[in-house]
């Protein structure tokens, strides 16, 4: 026998990201997602405090379908044939000449395995939905911060991003600073978004 269910008797509601039962307030949810990960990276992993400050203009960087080359710190927007339409290193746009020098006019080397999920070799990640996009901005700003101190030849920050995701996926993260970020001190007023769950499950750490 099916048990009766009433929304009025619920303290908090959670939705799978694929559901369309509600309309998300994207500016607020994006800032909540970004802040929760940035705060972890600064306080637990020693990243630059500059990550905690985001200007309204910074969000213009976010664009669905961006591919992050995890080793080079480059963000790529691909054409249907796998060639690169535009690119940036961190948040800094690359010129057509720079793109041509690095990638040529040929198909991007990972295009044939590009499926919107992390590759098994962890060479790239695709930011393909609104809940990923704050992560795109965060990763781009991490590249900027690392370059400010010493331009990297290969980047290795992805493992720390994974750690931030895993930390915020734990129920112990559903208190304290999380409620502060949401602007409330009671869980009944918050729908906390759990995302990147597939990334947590399948992304390799090496």
């Amino acid at each position: 026998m099916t048990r009766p269910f009433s929304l009025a008797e619920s303290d908090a509601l959670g939705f799978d990201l694929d559901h369309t039962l509600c309309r998300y307030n994207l500016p607020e949810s994006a800032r909540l997602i970004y802040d929760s990960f940035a705060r972890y990276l600064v306080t637990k992993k020693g990243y630059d405090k500059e990550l905690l400050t985001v200007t309204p203009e910074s969000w213009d960087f976010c664009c669905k379908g961006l591919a992050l080359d995890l080793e080079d710190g480059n963000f790529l927007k691909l054409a249907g044939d796998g060639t690169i339409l535009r690119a940036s290193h961190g948040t800094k746009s690359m010129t057509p000449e720079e793109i041509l020098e690095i990638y040529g006019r040929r198909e991007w080397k990972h295009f044939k395995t590009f499926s919107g999920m992390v590759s098994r070799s962890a060479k790239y990640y695709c930011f393909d939905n609104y809940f990923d996009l704050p992560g795109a901005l965060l990763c781009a700003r991490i590249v900027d911060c690392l370059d400010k101190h010493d331009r990297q030849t290969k980047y290795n920050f992805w493992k720390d991003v994974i750690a931030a995701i895993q930390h915020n996926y734990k129920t112990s993260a559903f208190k304290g600073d999380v409620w502060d970020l949401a602007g409330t001190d009671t869980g009944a007023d918050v729908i906390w978004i759990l995302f990147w769950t597939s990334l947590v499950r399948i992304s390799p750490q090496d």
Side-chain angles (χ1 to χ4, degrees):
M1 179 178 178
T2 303
R3 296 178 57 187
F5 173 75
S6 173
L7 292 176
E9 297 175 356
S10 303
D11 292 328
L13 304 177
F15 294 93
D16 183 87
L17 300 186
D18 295 327
H19 284 213
T20 55
L21 297 177
C22 68
R23 178 175 293 177
Y24 294 103
N25 194 332
L26 291 176
E28 281 69 23
S29 62
R31 185 58 193 252
L32 175 63
I33 291 167
Y34 179 97
D35 285 351
S36 63
F37 289 108
R39 184 171 297 193
Y40 175 86
L41 290 172
V42 170
T43 59
K44 302 297 185 182
K45 297 295 182 178
Y47 280 78
D48 197 316
K49 291 182 179 179
E50 184 179 326
L51 292 177
L52 300 176
T53 304
V54 185
T55 64
E57 296 77 19
S58 298
W59 295 104
D60 293 340
F61 177 82
C62 297
C63 174
K64 289 173 70 174
L66 287 178
L68 168 59
D69 188 320
L70 295 171
E71 292 186 338
D72 296 336
N74 294 339
F75 287 80
L76 313 174
K77 187 66 174 178
L78 303 176
D81 61 358
T83 56
I84 296 168
L85 295 173
R86 58 183 183 273
S88 70
H89 180 73
T91 63
K92 297 174 177 60
S93 295
M94 297 169 62
T95 65
E97 292 75 20
E98 289 173 326
I99 296 172
L100 187 61
E101 179 183 353
I102 296 173
Y103 296 104
R105 293 189 175 89
R106 60 187 179 276
E107 178 185 281
W108 183 45
K109 59 185 177 181
H110 298 302
F111 183 68
K112 285 185 170 58
T113 59
F114 190 71
S115 63
M117 301 297 288
V118 175
S119 65
R120 289 187 180 277
S121 60
K123 298 296 184 182
Y124 65 84
Y125 183 75
C126 176
F127 298 91
D128 62 351
N129 63 66
Y130 287 118
F131 302 96
D132 276 347
L133 292 185
L137 177 59
L138 179 61
C139 289
R141 298 193 68 216
I142 289 173
V143 172
D144 292 346
C145 288
L146 292 174
D147 285 352
K148 184 174 66 175
H149 299 290
D150 183 21
R151 179 64 182 261
Q152 311 285 301
T153 55
K154 295 293 181 182
Y155 293 83
N156 194 32
F157 62 85
W158 190 244
K159 67 181 185 302
D160 295 329
V161 175
I162 297 295
I165 295 168
Q166 292 173 333
H167 170 77
N168 282 281
Y169 190 65
K170 296 176 182 177
T171 55
S172 59
F174 284 51
K175 60 184 179 181
D177 291 343
V178 170
W179 304 135
D180 294 339
L181 288 169
T184 176
D185 58 0
T186 140
D189 296 331
V190 175
I191 298 177
W192 173 245
I193 301 169
L194 294 176
F195 76 114
W196 284 2
T197 54
S198 60
L199 189 154
V200 172
R201 289 195 301 269
I202 69 173
S203 177
Q205 297 280 323
D206 53 11

